[in-house]
Amino acid sequence: MAINWYPGHMHKAKKEIREVIPKMDLIIEVLDARLPFSSENPMVASLRKDTPCIKILNKSDLADPAVTQQWVDNINRTSGMKAIAVNLKQPDKIRSILAMAPAMVPERNLEVSQLKAIILGIPNVGKSTTINILASRTVAKTGNEPAVTKQQQRIKLPNNIVLLDTPGFLWPKLEPEDCGYRLAISGAIKNTVIEFEDVAMYLAEFMMQHYPDALLQRYQLKDIPQTGIELFDRIGQRRGCMRRGGIADTHKVAEILINEFRDGQLGRITLETPEMITAQLQAMEAAKVAREADKTEK
């Protein structure tokens, strides 16, 4: 099932950001450390050109630390980009961005003119809380749900930095398709527009393949079942979510699995690696070439 969420205010935000990015000295993008690629706005790559960019991998306390380091190294190899892994319990580390920002734009004399920065981030990634930490005061509305920020605002920061806050938004088509599932699992897409069972099944199968020990420990399983459906049944039995006839209540199990992932109760889990994303993008490109070739033959 293809997952997309693109309400009207996101379309408006996209148009405004497209207009303003070329005027900025610096781009700051807040990512979810559990899904650094899927939470990255494709507009940044297409619009930034030579503009320096700081990627903040937030929620790193919920992510696999070894994979987070892979992502930091991967991003730092890109010219003009710096990555920093943080979580909201590390205010001092987040404030280090105030020193990192001027270093990214050495030609700007901050005694003479302001450094103009824009901060971007998908819904529910922690962008507003990050801004409040940088500003050392409450200037951005926060909430544990997507799409809290609805309009742009300019915020004065130390070191003569002016930060343009923007609404969090997704994009009309989430590609590869797996990105939609990862975003839904993380909470970046409103629960009311996703099929919990479908999304949780994706998570179950991913966990069975990449983090089986986390499932064994959390749900006190003796072994990992062969299919996601069997895993749902096992969790249902453990948590008392069974219907008549010994069948698991799949919706209740799906809610348990997704909510315990979001809360970090399954452990420190990352849903994608640089290697995994490279393979998926290559497969997507190969499929596109095949479709074009098929059209030519017809």
Side-chain angles (χ1 to χ4, degrees), residues 47 141 212 282 293:
L47 295 178
K141 185 179 178 182
Q282 288 175 344

Side-chain angles (χ1 to χ4, degrees), residues 130-148:
T130 299
I131 291 169
N132 292 339
I133 291 171
L134 291 173
S136 296
R137 62 190 191 279
T138 301
V139 291
K141 185 179 178 182
T142 63
N144 190 26
E145 63 177 23
V148 173

Side-chain angles (χ1 to χ4, degrees), residues 21-179:
I21 277 184
K23 304 172 186 177
M24 295 292 112
D25 301 313
L26 176 70
I27 297 167
I28 301 173
E29 185 171 21
V30 185
L31 308 177
D32 189 323
R34 299 167 298 176
L35 47 151
F37 175 81
S38 295
S39 59
E40 182 179 55
N41 189 331
M43 277 180 61
V44 173
S46 64
L47 295 178
R48 84 173 188 93
K49 297 182 179 177
D50 296 327
T51 305
C53 182
I54 297 174
K55 302 278 190 178
I56 303 174
L57 275 64
N58 195 20
K59 304 188 180 184
S60 62
D61 54 331
L62 300 176
D64 184 325
V67 182
T68 297
Q69 190 58 52
Q70 291 178 28
W71 279 109
V72 169
D73 294 342
N74 185 273
I75 293 167
N76 284 340
R77 284 193 288 269
T78 305
S79 177
M81 281 196 184
K82 290 290 183 184
I84 180 172
V86 304
N87 65 74
L88 298 179
K89 299 170 188 173
Q90 299 175 311
D92 289 341
K93 191 172 184 181
I94 291 172
R95 291 190 192 101
S96 72
I97 294 163
L98 295 171
M100 186 186 298
M104 296 284 288
V105 193
E107 68 278 7
R108 172 71 67 189
N109 185 346
L110 296 182
E111 294 183 1
V112 176
S113 59
Q114 296 173 324
L115 189 158
K116 294 177 291 184
I118 184 171
I119 188 164
L120 306 170
I122 65 167
N124 206 30
V125 79
K127 176 173 62 69
S128 294
T129 305
T130 299
I131 291 169
N132 292 339
I133 291 171
L134 291 173
S136 296
R137 62 190 191 279
T138 301
V139 291
K141 185 179 178 182
T142 63
N144 190 26
E145 63 177 23
V148 173
T149 305
K150 290 291 195 296
Q151 60 186 10
Q152 294 183 9
Q153 63 170 332
R154 295 183 185 275
I155 301 155
K156 288 187 177 181
L157 300 180
N159 295 352
N160 206 14
I161 299 169
V162 175
L163 187 67
L164 177 63
D165 181 20
T166 59
F169 69 94
L170 296 174
W171 25 102
K173 189 172 183 181
L174 301 172
E175 292 183 316
E177 195 170 288
D178 294 68
C179 290

